[in-house]
Amino acid sequence: MDGPLVRAARDGSQSAFARLVATHERALRGFLRKSGFSDADDIAQEAFLAAWSSLDRLRDDEGFRAWLFGIAWRKALDQGRAARRAARRDEAWREEQAAEASREADPADRLALEAALAGLPPDQRACVILCLGQGWSHGEAAETLNLPLGTVKSHVNRGRERLLAVLGDPS
C-alpha cells in the first residue's frame, strides 16, 4: 500500500512523502504517547525528518510503517536517555551548589558582598567577579570583556579597594 508513495518520495516527490506523513502521523503519535513519551509530537516530527532524509536506506518499500515506527522508537529512547543524563547533571550541580553554599560565608556576609558588588560600575564589577571571584587571569578577563589589559588590572585594583572599604578590611 505504501510502496508507490515511498518510491515517488524516494524520487523526490515531497507531496508523496506528505501523503505518507498524513497516513501514518496519527498512529505514530498515538503509539509514542501510549508508550509514555509526553513529547510524542516532537519525537514523531524528528522521526519523519529522519525518514525523509534516509529513504534510500529502506529495503522494503511496503515496510515503510514498521521502519518509520522503528526510527521513532529509537529516537524516543535516545531522547529519554538524554533527558536522564541531563537530570543527573542538574542534580549533581544542585548538590555541588548546596555543598558549596554550606562551606561559604555567613548568608549576611554574602548579602553584604552582593550589595557591595552592586555598587561597582558594571565593567569594574565584571572584572572583579572574573578575576577575584572566578580566579581568571587579567589577560583572560581582558579578552573576554574586550577591554585593554591595563584597564582590567586597574578595575580589579579599584574594585578590590572599594569592596574592602565597604565591607571592612578583615586584616
Side-chain angles (χ1 to χ4, degrees):
M1 177 165 126
D2 290 333
L5 289 174
V6 169
R7 285 186 287 281
R10 189 179 290 123
D11 289 337
S13 172
Q14 291 180 1
S15 63
F17 192 77
R19 287 179 49 203
L20 285 167
V21 169
T23 300
H24 297 291
E25 72 177 324
R26 189 171 188 181
L28 180 61
R29 291 172 199 270
F31 162 71
L32 291 167
R33 277 192 195 95
K34 289 175 185 171
S35 297
F37 296 100
S38 59
D39 48 356
D41 294 339
D42 293 337
I43 296 168
Q45 184 173 354
E46 287 180 30
F48 281 116
L49 287 170
W52 172 252
S53 66
S54 59
L55 265 177
D56 58 328
R57 289 187 245 155
L58 176 61
R59 292 187 189 122
D60 175 17
D61 294 349
E62 293 298 334
F64 177 79
R65 182 179 63 175
W67 179 72
L68 173 67
F69 275 55
I71 291 171
W73 180 249
R74 287 185 295 281
K75 290 208 169 284
L77 293 177
D78 289 346
Q79 202 167 62
R81 282 190 292 273
R84 286 189 297 279
R85 280 192 305 271
R88 282 194 303 269
R89 279 192 308 269
D90 290 349
E91 182 58 30
W93 181 83
R94 280 191 292 277
E95 289 172 4
E96 181 181 306
Q97 293 301 306
E100 192 174 298
S102 68
R103 291 189 304 265
E104 285 182 0
D106 175 35
D109 291 341
R110 231 179 30 245
L111 289 174
L113 176 61
E114 289 174 13
L117 282 169
L120 298 177
D123 55 344
Q124 196 174 72
R125 182 180 333 125
C127 292
V128 168
I129 290 170
L130 289 178
C131 295
L132 300 179
Q134 300 290 322
W136 289 33
S137 72
H138 292 124
E140 290 172 319
E143 184 178 334
T144 299
L145 300 173
N146 198 27
L147 292 172
L149 180 60
T151 301
V152 170
K153 289 179 180 181
S154 65
H155 280 346
V156 170
N157 287 332
R158 286 188 192 120
R160 179 186 299 118
E161 289 170 6
R162 286 183 68 181
L163 289 176
L164 289 173
V166 170
L167 298 173
D169 190 348
S171 50

